[in-house]
Amino acid sequence: MGRKVTVATCSLNQWALDFDGNVLRILKSIEIAKASGAKYRLGPELEICGYGCADHFYESDTLLHCFQVLKQLLESPVTQDIICDVGMPVMHHNVRYNCRVLFLNKKILLIRPKMLLANHGNNREFRWFSAWSQPRHIEEYFLPRMIQDVTGQVTVPFGDAVLSTKDTCIGSEICAELWNARSPHVDMGLDGVEIFTNSSASYHELRKADQRVNLVKSATTKSGGIYLFANQKGCDGDRLYYDGCSMIAINGDIVAQGKQFSLDDVEVITATLDLEDVRSYRGERCHPHMVRPCGEIKVDFSLSDCKDIFLPTHQLVEWVFHSPEEEIRCSSLHSSRSEAGFLLPLSGGVDSSSSACIVYSMCVQVCQAVRDGNAQVLEDVQRLVCDASYRPEEPREMCGRLFTTCYMASENSSEDTRNRAKELAAQIGSNHLNINIDMAVKGMLGIFSMVMGKWPKFRVNGGSSRENLALQNVQARVRMILAYLFAQLCLWAQGKPGGLLVLGSANVDESLTGYFTKYDCSSADINPIGGVSKMDLKRFLQYCAEHFRLTALKSVLAAPPTAELEPLTEGQVSQTDEADMGMTYSELSVIGRLRKISKCGAYSMFCKLIHSWRETCSPSQVAAKVKHFFKMYSVNRHKMTTVTPSYHAESYGPDDNRFDLRPFLYNTRWSWQFRCIDHEV
């Protein structure tokens, strides 16, 4: 009959500029696709060079090496008898484009440039690429000589076109084009395209996966068709984490689903689908439309086989979404590459306990991957522990090999936090150290006193606010220095090779108001929770307490958050985070979303909150909270220029690296804005 097609899409753990590794993963994915009978293979966006090359896209070397990889792909016997769809930057008429290169049997069929670029959130594609602004238009592209020698082609089609094979028609979209209000698949579908492909580098955010699934389903619900979605996985060398989730849909139903947060470097999913199902679906819903025809590239090739009557087609699957707690558990440490393990200052509070649980969760995932036969993961673990015979079997034992935690006590620390840290460390199996920092703190203050002739006092002992803050900061900064000292020399003292990666533990809400000391123990090599809100972290710890049976977390959750930098009162903590910040973490989470997602300044934020908080706050109280937030935000914004890198996880994150582009120096009085608020009050 010749109507059933087998197609493949994939998720690859590509790294920026890792051309050797990237080409091997591309070839492996094509090999797996062919072994499954696929006649079309789709890969992620810019997979040859990696999506996160950033300003390396300006370098001619990047373009050169991409063509060298393309030459290797064209020459490989693995790529024969299957349409391969790969991503790379291409310069045409001295303009740089983000492109798909489609080829078959050593012939390039089409170079398709991206028409709608991503320029929101963390994406800055307009910095490096231009959008192809001529829909339905094709030009001739002169190939580099190294490619001409392989293909025998001097020029190939470049532009917006579709592939017309003997049995169907295939059209390409690239990442953001699916999210756009004028997605190309709409007109392509009305013009008869039956298979749509989308190569993406869609980064992970909490609660985002359902948006992708809904967009893919919607694309084929309206007018039918088959949709292939490929996505990057891993971190690609930047602060973003790509979570995979490749998928295949037909007529609004998902029929094949890739894993989210998989540890496999190469994941390929295939589906066998009946083109007559698309035609029947469209026969009822679609009628002739006045659509400008797509440019067609005729391809002497069939995706189907005339003897396919006994070939079973894939049935729809129900997509299972992870909860936000599971997403935090699965994603937060995938983007780190340690030399020999991790060190974490563990205070016994929610934040550092969350970082500890993420490491433990990583060990759980790794042990499961090794049991499932993942050779790459096993090799990575053996490299970390410097033992080629090591095989992780149990998460607590692996945690003991890789993870060191340390409680850094001062005279202001309580027994409660010390015991909570010790109990959690025992339950996850980390190497736990108890360190007293008083000697180091007094040494620093002694140097100051010797030079200046004065000894600062805490406020409760008669000192000023300036003295009080300085005494808190010196404790926090001493902890950072000790954390790095122990990270560098812990293994040396035990006669083991390597050093440890220092983990931080400041949440996204604290970063908003700057409620942390610049260069304290929140300063680290990487911060697993830096993109996660306090409220989500509490829910994450509750999940870990139940899922991993970590009973120590119950007391962590029950305790009020505290920095423990001021003297105790009768042995009890007198300082709490929410009192210091002047608002609760729940309130701060709402304010953070209004500031970033709703694009609210001080005045419009006040106007919204007088309604949503009317049950608990008067207008004057709302005004006070909004003013206090903007005062603290602007005073402390400079801290974001030095904050520890963390993977992007929250849509209202304050990371000024690329996501939240705002000043770090302000006139902190906000006089005009606050007068507008006062007038309304």
Side-chain angles (χ1 to χ4, degrees), residues 109-168:
L109 305 174
L110 170 69
I111 300 178
R112 199 286 206 180
K114 193 171 184 177
M115 297 190 292
L116 300 168
L117 301 183
N119 204 49
H120 61 281
N122 282 290
N123 299 116
R124 294 290 177 271
E125 290 181 6
F126 277 105
R127 180 177 174 89
W128 308 296
F129 301 110
S130 294
W132 181 253
S133 57
Q134 304 177 74
R136 308 291 192 275
H137 179 72
I138 307 171
E139 296 179 354
E140 283 190 320
Y141 176 79
F142 282 83
L143 291 170
R145 281 190 291 268
M146 73 173 94
I147 304 298
Q148 292 181 25
D149 292 342
V150 177
T151 66
Q153 300 165 291
V154 176
T155 64
V156 294
F158 185 102
D160 178 26
V162 299
L163 299 186
S164 182
T165 65
K166 290 180 177 180
D167 50 359
T168 188

Side-chain angles (χ1 to χ4, degrees), residues 52 131 196 247 318 388 402 405 419 500 552 571 608 644:
F196 311 102
M247 66 189 92
E318 191 68 33
L402 295 177
T405 52
N419 291 335
L500 302 175
K608 288 182 181 293
T644 298

Side-chain angles (χ1 to χ4, degrees), residues 62 101 145 147 149 398 447 475 479 527 609 613 660:
T62 302
V101 179
R145 281 190 291 268
I147 304 298
D149 292 342
M398 181 183 167
I447 294 172
Q475 296 171 74
R479 284 178 171 133
N527 182 2
L609 289 176
W613 286 357
D660 190 30

Side-chain angles (χ1 to χ4, degrees), residues 73-204:
L73 292 173
L74 287 163
E75 291 176 329
S76 172
V78 172
T79 63
Q80 304 308 298
D81 300 319
I82 181 172
I83 296 177
C84 297
D85 187 337
V86 299
M88 59 181 275
V90 177
M91 185 172 280
H92 178 54
H93 292 165
N94 295 325
V95 178
R96 195 177 293 102
Y97 294 98
N98 176 349
C99 294
R100 303 304 298 174
V101 179
L102 296 92
F103 62 91
L104 169 69
N105 295 335
K106 297 186 179 181
K107 298 289 183 184
I108 294 177
L109 305 174
L110 170 69
I111 300 178
R112 199 286 206 180
K114 193 171 184 177
M115 297 190 292
L116 300 168
L117 301 183
N119 204 49
H120 61 281
N122 282 290
N123 299 116
R124 294 290 177 271
E125 290 181 6
F126 277 105
R127 180 177 174 89
W128 308 296
F129 301 110
S130 294
W132 181 253
S133 57
Q134 304 177 74
R136 308 291 192 275
H137 179 72
I138 307 171
E139 296 179 354
E140 283 190 320
Y141 176 79
F142 282 83
L143 291 170
R145 281 190 291 268
M146 73 173 94
I147 304 298
Q148 292 181 25
D149 292 342
V150 177
T151 66
Q153 300 165 291
V154 176
T155 64
V156 294
F158 185 102
D160 178 26
V162 299
L163 299 186
S164 182
T165 65
K166 290 180 177 180
D167 50 359
T168 188
C169 193
I170 307 166
S172 297
E173 288 188 321
I174 305 176
C175 200
E177 293 174 353
L178 171 62
W179 301 72
N180 195 275
R182 301 184 66 179
S183 294
H185 70 256
V186 176
D187 284 344
M188 286 193 293
L190 293 173
D191 194 39
V193 173
E194 295 177 327
I195 300 175
F196 311 102
T197 67
N198 186 297
S199 54
S200 281
S202 178
Y203 59 81
H204 171 254

